[in-house]
Amino acid sequence: MGFATKAIHAGNKPDPTTGAVSVPIYQTSTYAQDGLGRHKGFEYARTQNPTRSALEENIAALENARFGFAFASGMSAIDATLKLVKAGEHVILGHNTYGGTFRLFDRVLSDYGVEFDLADTSDIASLETHFKPNTKMVFVETPTNPIMTLTDLAAVSELAHSRGAKVVCDNTFMSPYFQRPLDLGVDIVLHSTTKYLNGHSDSVGGFVALNDEKDAEWIGFIQNAVGAILSPFDSFLVLRGTKTLAVRMDAHDRNGRMVANFLAEHPRVEKVYYPGLASHPQHELAKRQQSGFGGMVSFDTGSLENARKVLESVKLCTLGESLGGVESLISHPATMTHASVPAEARQQLGITDGLVRVSVGIEDADDILADLDQALS
Ligand SMILES: *Cc1c(COP(=O)(O)O)cnc(C)c1O
């Protein structure tokens, strides 16, 4: 079955009671049982909910995964996954992951005895030097935010597996439409469904997809034991969102390419970061590993003053954090998403004060280009 067909049909069976074509929002906390020890497979809604199960089947199918689990946020999905790592074990973390992921390691997990090192996962030779005898996991994000650096997922998986470590990939930026890490050898895929999967900027959620039965059993156990489940209503929203994932991602990609090309030619722009540009240092890897380039584009305006002028002059693009919604969003990484990263580390990552990030939406491309043009001039 093709991707768009799966997006619409996987998990979306007509409701057995009424025939409702849309999976209903089962807004219930508990279920009537037929007798002692006799029930319909549903006991309590933290443990099982039909709306959530439908979404779990749907996104698992899109990632070509055997198992899927929906969580209350991307961060709770990441936290549940890291409960596969025990005190005294070591994780190699990409040096430019989502800020919340770094914070979870730095401020929470380290207090529970989980060791971690930061590494540039785009450089396999340097990554290799970070392995220790107790390394259990390599955690990567590709492309990274906001500099759009790629990690070769097949190469990292091969290296990590030869060292007895698992690979986890946060696939939020690409969505399963453009990149399917499990097919490349990755063990566990994570999502903030808040972004492209839901796609309409009206729900916060997270997802874990994987093939290994034993790890899946543990993630399912944690989901129930800790309880950071996605609500029935949010499950319904994300299930509605994924039905149009294919058409939305194609539109984000089309507009993303146009915005990147426009900015690359613009005299007021010093540098553009977009894997779809032939000038991107990993353009070849992007073409091999992804089936599209998506809608995330960053560009350097040269100074904080220039960035401020652009960010405060846009009319169509909305100034705000987050990404992946139908509407174009514009942000300033140095003072917004990456404000907690020390200035020196920001500089090393290329996150200058003049850097601006756009989550290109699916409005008419001409309107987005006109807005950026007037803001730049
Ligand atoms: C937003 C985001 C997260 C965190 O997800 P929440 O849904 O906000 O908890 C994790 N990783 C990436 C890449 C993100 O963009």
Side-chain angles (χ1 to χ4, degrees):
M1 231 190 270
F3 187 95
T5 310
K6 280 200 281 192
I8 292 166
H9 293 285
N12 283 300
K13 315 265 180 313
D15 183 55
T17 319
T18 62
V21 166
S22 286
V23 175
I25 303 166
Y26 282 91
Q27 193 68 33
T28 187
S29 62
T30 190
Y31 307 89
Q33 304 196 7
D34 299 332
L36 287 187
R38 283 189 291 123
H39 53 74
K40 299 181 168 69
F42 298 93
E43 296 147 280
Y44 184 63
R46 170 164 30 78
T47 319
Q48 311 102 348
N49 181 281
T51 320
R52 196 176 83 223
S53 303
L55 175 67
E56 290 175 337
E57 192 179 329
N58 180 259
I59 299 181
L62 299 183
E63 284 288 3
N64 289 338
R66 290 173 67 203
F67 308 102
F69 301 91
F71 287 87
S73 65
M75 286 321 304
S76 58
I78 294 171
D79 179 62
T81 301
L82 288 164
K83 290 196 166 72
L84 287 165
V85 181
K86 306 285 183 282
E89 294 181 340
H90 175 249
V91 179
I92 300 172
L93 176 64
H95 72 336
N96 185 26
T97 54
Y98 179 72
T101 304
F102 173 73
R103 181 174 58 194
L104 182 63
F105 277 92
D106 188 46
R107 302 286 303 277
V108 183
L109 293 168
S110 57
D111 277 352
Y112 290 82
V114 173
E115 296 170 25
F116 75 101
D117 266 318
L118 300 179
D120 178 359
T121 56
S122 72
D123 178 350
I124 297 291
S126 113
L127 175 63
E128 193 159 17
T129 64
H130 289 86
F131 279 86
K132 295 182 184 181
N134 60 341
T135 302
K136 284 284 142 48
M137 187 183 277
V138 180
F139 191 113
V140 303
E141 219 174 285
T142 177
T144 60
N145 172 32
I147 297 298
M148 312 300 287
T149 303
L150 272 64
T151 286
D152 185 333
L153 292 173
V156 168
S157 298
E158 198 184 332
L159 170 63
H161 293 160
S162 76
R163 302 298 183 95
K166 300 211 153 135
V167 179
V168 175
C169 175
D170 183 335
N171 197 27
T172 300
F173 265 43
M174 281 292 106
S175 91
Y177 185 63
F178 284 139
Q179 177 168 275
R180 284 182 293 281
L182 299 181
D183 293 353
L184 300 168
V186 165
D187 301 284
I188 301 178
V189 179
L190 299 175
H191 281 284
S192 166
T193 62
T194 313
K195 318 294 167 51
Y196 287 108
L197 287 174
N198 181 57
H200 294 73
S201 309
D202 53 12
S203 159
V204 171
F207 204 84
V208 181
L210 71 170
N211 283 322
D212 183 82
E213 193 160 354
K214 203 161 139 274
D215 285 351
E217 228 169 78
W218 182 243
I219 301 282
F221 181 84
I222 292 296
Q223 184 191 42
N224 182 51
V226 180
I229 47 164
L230 192 64
S231 76
F233 182 58
D234 287 285
S235 297
F236 168 85
L237 284 176
V238 182
L239 199 52
R240 179 185 166 106
T242 59
K243 285 177 188 161
T244 57
L245 185 64
V247 284
R248 282 189 291 109
M249 291 313 290
D250 278 335
H252 282 295
D253 185 66
R254 207 162 46 237
N255 285 357
R257 292 176 201 226
M258 286 182 78
V259 166
N261 283 322
F262 165 79
L263 292 170
E265 303 274 292
H266 202 285
R268 294 255 164 96
V269 174
E270 295 197 347
K271 191 163 180 189
V272 181
Y273 299 89
Y274 186 70
L277 290 176
S279 60
H280 188 283
Q282 294 167 300
H283 182 58
E284 289 308 313
L285 173 60
K287 283 200 286 190
R288 187 166 82 236
Q289 177 162 283
Q290 307 169 184
S291 56
F293 306 114
M296 298 303 297
V297 183
S298 299
F299 61 101
D300 206 325
T301 59
S303 71
L304 179 61
E305 248 339 281
N306 289 346
R308 188 193 306 281
K309 275 187 208 143
V310 170
L311 291 157
E312 291 181 352
S313 308
V314 287
K315 297 193 173 85
L316 179 68
C317 298
T318 305
L319 177 62
E321 299 202 359
S322 199
L323 60 107
V326 291
E327 57 287 292
S328 292
L329 283 171
I330 194 161
S331 68
H332 186 239
T335 59
M336 293 167 74
T337 47
H338 290 67
S340 62
V341 178
E344 196 182 318
R346 273 207 307 271
Q347 220 56 42
Q348 267 168 15
L349 292 170
I351 305 170
T352 58
D353 287 348
L355 194 74
V356 172
R357 185 190 82 178
V358 192
S359 169
V360 180
I362 61 171
E363 301 96 340
D364 290 300
D366 287 347
D367 292 328
I368 304 171
L369 297 183
D371 190 36
L372 290 172
D373 195 30
Q374 65 82 23
L376 279 161
S377 48

